[in-house]
Amino acid sequence: MKKNFCQKNIPFRAFALLLGLTLAAPPALGQGRDFADCFNRLRGQAIQRGISAATFDAHAARLEPDLSVLELLDAQPEFKTPIWDYLAALVDDERVSDGRAMLEQWRDVLLRVEEQFGVDPTTVAAVWGVESNFGRSLGQRPLLASLGTLSCMGRRQDYFRGEFLSALKIIDEGHIAPERLNGSWAGAFGQTQFMPSTFLRLAVDFDGDGRRDLVDSVPDSLASTAHFLRRGGWRSGEPWGFEVSLPSGFDASVAGRRNKQPMSAWVARGVKRADGEPLPAGGSNWALLLPAGENGPAFLVGKNFDVIYGYNAAESYALAIAHLSDRLRGGEVFRTPWPTDDPGISRAERRELQRLLIARGHDIGEADGMVGTKTRRAIAQEQQSLGYKPDGRAGLRILEALR
Ligand code: CA
């Protein structure tokens, strides 16, 4: 974990700062010293970037390393989450009805956003809903402490240093107050879950107060999301894609988001829309997505799916956003079920499962619908006594068994 960044000459002007840091943050003698040296150099880089020394000294100089982010940086997922679990929680009835209420509440802003950026209200609202649950889940970790730690310790320090300096720039320019700048351990923050460098490139002041505020301004957040999609190449009026059905004996080896083919080629292979409507004629950039293999739902996805993918670089998340946008427009759930006998469950069902676990004496904290380590451990215990595979997964089978 310890990286040696020691330079031979510490600039004299930062000597007091270094002392301040070492006094404020001695996690271990050598480590604290390295961290201080690293911050010392960050101060010089910040000033080179036009960030005022006063901003650095006020908000960054006395940061203490947050070692918990290093554990998260190196954490291996306990098990691979099946895509039907992601979809079940990210696109449940609750999020659809919340999304419709938000579309109503922010209608005028969303229409002006569409006019300026060419991205429809339901897509913008779907990104908002998946990224931050419509502004309700912004992340709680102070951004400067997380990014400062990752700038000086652990893997990918160069990358995180850029993000740390970008975060300081946001503060220096007065867009967001430092105490409001909280987010995920890796630095995504605000209602759009932008990284700080993405903020500097793409965030928009849409409420006209002169600040780009993705934490406390919904108009700024919605416009910034649309701006991101626009700059990613969003095609106004073109669907992200369709659920499709495949003819029997279909050669599934042609699937994959990068294997783009003309729509006519898919039609020639016998691919049809699952709802029976005709596929649009023309277009050359369509790919077949089989997120759970050839026995699960199939999708033809176009350019706009790739643009959404650019938001989070995971097909499961892109599909969640795409599907939520359809549901917000009045679309149905997928016609083909996921290939599992133990489907994923909604957030309401997760809360119910947690209440059942609590009633059985498991100490898992509140029934908040978030399936963390304690909940998974309790599920595994119950699975064990039922003779199921004790994988700790929150699915329909264990829910029904405990009911
Ligand atoms: Ca603003």
Side-chain angles (χ1 to χ4, degrees):
M1 180 199 297
K2 195 173 129 185
K3 294 253 176 169
N4 189 357
F5 270 99
C6 280
Q7 279 180 339
K8 275 134 202 117
N9 303 309
I10 297 166
F12 188 74
R13 63 179 156 71
F15 207 72
L17 174 76
L18 172 69
L19 286 176
L21 250 176
T22 328
L23 290 172
L29 208 55
Q31 197 175 304
R33 173 78 181 224
D34 283 355
F35 192 75
D37 287 351
C38 175
F39 255 68
N40 194 19
R41 281 189 305 287
L42 278 176
R43 188 176 188 273
Q45 291 167 9
I47 290 164
Q48 264 179 1
R49 279 211 188 185
I51 295 159
S52 75
T55 292
F56 189 96
D57 293 343
H59 305 298
R62 285 175 181 273
L63 285 176
E64 297 184 21
D66 175 1
L67 301 183
S68 66
V69 296
L70 295 172
E71 287 164 29
L72 291 164
L73 181 69
D74 290 323
Q76 300 295 324
E78 290 170 63
F79 61 96
K80 194 175 176 322
T81 305
I83 186 163
W84 46 85
D85 281 350
Y86 276 121
L87 268 291
L90 285 173
V91 191
D92 56 14
D93 289 346
E94 199 176 344
R95 203 171 319 262
V96 173
S97 82
D98 285 350
R100 289 190 183 142
M102 290 297 175
L103 282 169
E104 189 58 36
Q105 184 180 344
W106 296 99
R107 189 171 178 276
D108 294 346
V109 170
L110 285 162
L111 289 176
R112 280 195 295 121
V113 164
E114 181 176 29
E115 200 173 276
Q116 185 165 339
F117 299 103
V119 186
D120 58 287
T122 49
T123 299
V124 173
V127 173
W128 189 27
V130 167
E131 289 297 328
S132 71
N133 195 22
F134 309 105
R136 292 172 195 147
S137 306
L138 302 185
Q140 301 294 321
R141 289 171 176 273
L143 217 61
L144 288 180
S146 304
L147 290 172
T149 305
L150 295 166
S151 296
C152 293
M153 296 170 153
R155 300 183 284 116
R156 304 185 70 197
Q157 293 179 16
D158 284 350
Y159 165 75
F160 285 114
R161 206 168 295 145
E163 296 301 334
F164 175 77
L165 294 172
S166 295
L168 270 179
K169 187 87 177 162
I170 292 168
I171 292 169
D172 196 45
E173 290 182 356
H175 297 296
I176 300 171
E179 66 274 13
R180 300 293 296 150
L181 202 55
N182 302 309
S184 76
W185 67 267
F189 74 97
Q191 308 206 16
T192 60
Q193 292 291 291
F194 277 11
M195 292 298 290
S197 61
T198 309
F199 176 105
L200 291 179
R201 278 189 301 120
L202 296 173
V204 172
D205 170 27
F206 204 68
D207 60 16
D209 70 351
R211 297 186 304 121
R212 302 188 275 164
D213 183 355
L214 301 188
V215 175
D216 291 315
S217 168
V218 171
D220 288 8
S221 302
L222 298 177
S224 299
T225 294
H227 188 215
F228 183 104
L229 297 172
R230 176 93 231 156
R231 289 281 288 272
W234 186 262
R235 294 180 182 168
S236 303
E238 185 175 298
W240 62 268
F242 312 93
E243 188 189 351
V244 294
S245 59
L246 308 175
S248 61
F250 186 86
D251 172 15
S253 69
V254 294
R257 194 173 53 85
R258 291 171 195 280
N259 181 21
K260 312 282 192 209
Q261 308 241 351
M263 184 58 90
S264 56
W266 297 113
V267 172
R269 284 174 181 275
V271 175
K272 292 187 162 62
R273 262 177 75 161
D275 62 6
E277 296 291 316
L279 284 164
S284 56
N285 284 305
W286 294 88
L288 179 68
L289 209 66
L290 299 176
E294 54 194 288
N295 296 319
F299 307 93
L300 271 186
V301 297
K303 168 69 180 170
N304 284 347
F305 187 85
D306 288 339
V307 177
I308 297 171
Y309 177 87
Y311 216 99
N312 208 330
E315 285 176 3
S316 50
Y317 278 96
L319 189 61
I321 289 167
H323 185 42
L324 180 57
S325 73
D326 278 355
R327 294 284 315 271
L328 293 177
R329 277 187 281 269
E332 298 294 322
V333 298
F334 298 139
R335 282 166 194 251
T336 304
W338 294 107
T340 173
D341 57 2
D342 186 10
I345 56 178
S346 68
R347 286 170 296 161
E349 290 167 325
R350 287 171 190 219
R351 291 193 293 270
E352 183 192 353
L353 175 58
Q354 288 174 321
R355 284 194 298 273
L356 290 164
L357 291 167
I358 291 166
R360 282 163 182 262
H362 294 281
D363 175 21
I364 58 166
E366 267 180 73
D368 58 3
M370 311 284 282
V371 178
T373 311
K374 284 180 177 175
T375 299
R376 277 200 289 272
R377 200 175 293 146
I379 291 170
Q381 280 176 22
E382 293 294 334
Q383 286 170 323
Q384 188 109 48
S385 57
L386 286 160
Y388 300 167
K389 185 177 140 202
D391 60 6
R393 188 181 147 256
L396 190 60
R397 182 184 295 147
I398 187 69
L399 174 61
E400 286 180 338
L402 295 190
R403 275 172 182 163

